[in-house]
Amino acid sequence: MVRRNDLGFVRYVVGRLEGAGVRAWVFGGWAAELLGLSAPRAHGDVDLLYPADGFAVVDEFLARGDVQEIEAKRFPHKRAFEIDGIMVELFLVQADGAGSFTDFWGVARHDWPADVFAVEVDGLRVASAMAVTGYRAGWEDLQSKLQGR
């Protein structure tokens, strides 16, 4: 069966990950749409936030070979895989005394708002509006920090 990147696919991906012990929150374009921050549109991928200390559980899921890992996107802060040609990216969100954050190669830290994991829409865990808009607002600054890495 060939899948489309629609809401049913997002639910399927989140469900498969959940079944493997990976609790993820919808992020990126899908989160913006589900939160009403953007109009419905075609999506090229599925972005997810993964709160954990590391990727051990995700790596076990990927090692099963049920999905096609995208090795070129294997980084300390990210894992990616494809299902039916649709890319899914998981961004690691760690926590310390200052709160939730993503560490990009030890060069740049993105701090997430306190409510990042407090939202549910239509039965899906979704990153908060503050998390989505804050990440977008800081995108250029983050990219400039990563230029020399």
Side-chain angles (χ1 to χ4, degrees):
M1 172 169 103
V2 175
R3 296 186 189 276
R4 294 182 338 192
N5 189 359
D6 57 15
L7 188 54
F9 178 74
V10 174
R11 290 181 187 285
Y12 172 75
V13 168
V14 169
R16 283 212 40 202
L17 289 167
E18 183 88 20
V22 177
R23 289 191 54 161
W25 274 250
V26 179
F27 183 58
W30 270 113
E33 183 175 320
L34 290 166
L35 294 167
L37 301 173
S38 67
R41 62 177 177 82
H43 296 272
D45 65 0
V46 176
D47 296 315
L48 302 169
L49 297 182
Y50 175 57
D53 292 331
F55 279 120
V57 177
V58 173
D59 289 343
E60 287 175 21
F61 168 74
L62 295 172
R64 292 182 199 160
D66 298 338
V67 297
Q68 180 64 47
E69 182 176 3
I70 302 171
E71 295 278 343
K73 289 191 171 260
R74 178 180 268 262
F75 302 121
H77 67 278
K78 183 194 300 189
R79 294 293 188 271
F81 58 90
E82 283 188 1
I83 295 178
D84 292 335
I86 300 170
M87 181 171 62
V88 177
E89 292 185 297
L90 286 158
F91 293 86
L92 183 64
V93 179
Q94 298 172 287
D96 64 13
S100 297
F101 68 96
T102 296
D103 178 7
F104 292 88
W105 292 284
V107 175
R109 174 182 167 125
H110 176 78
D111 290 301
W112 298 98
D115 73 346
V116 61
F117 300 121
V119 177
E120 187 175 296
V121 176
D122 221 6
L124 281 171
R125 291 181 299 272
V126 179
S128 69
M130 284 180 55
V132 173
T133 58
Y135 187 80
R136 286 183 174 173
W139 176 252
E140 287 184 24
D141 184 49
L142 177 62
Q143 292 306 302
S144 68
K145 289 178 183 173
L146 298 176
Q147 287 297 319
R149 79 158 178 90

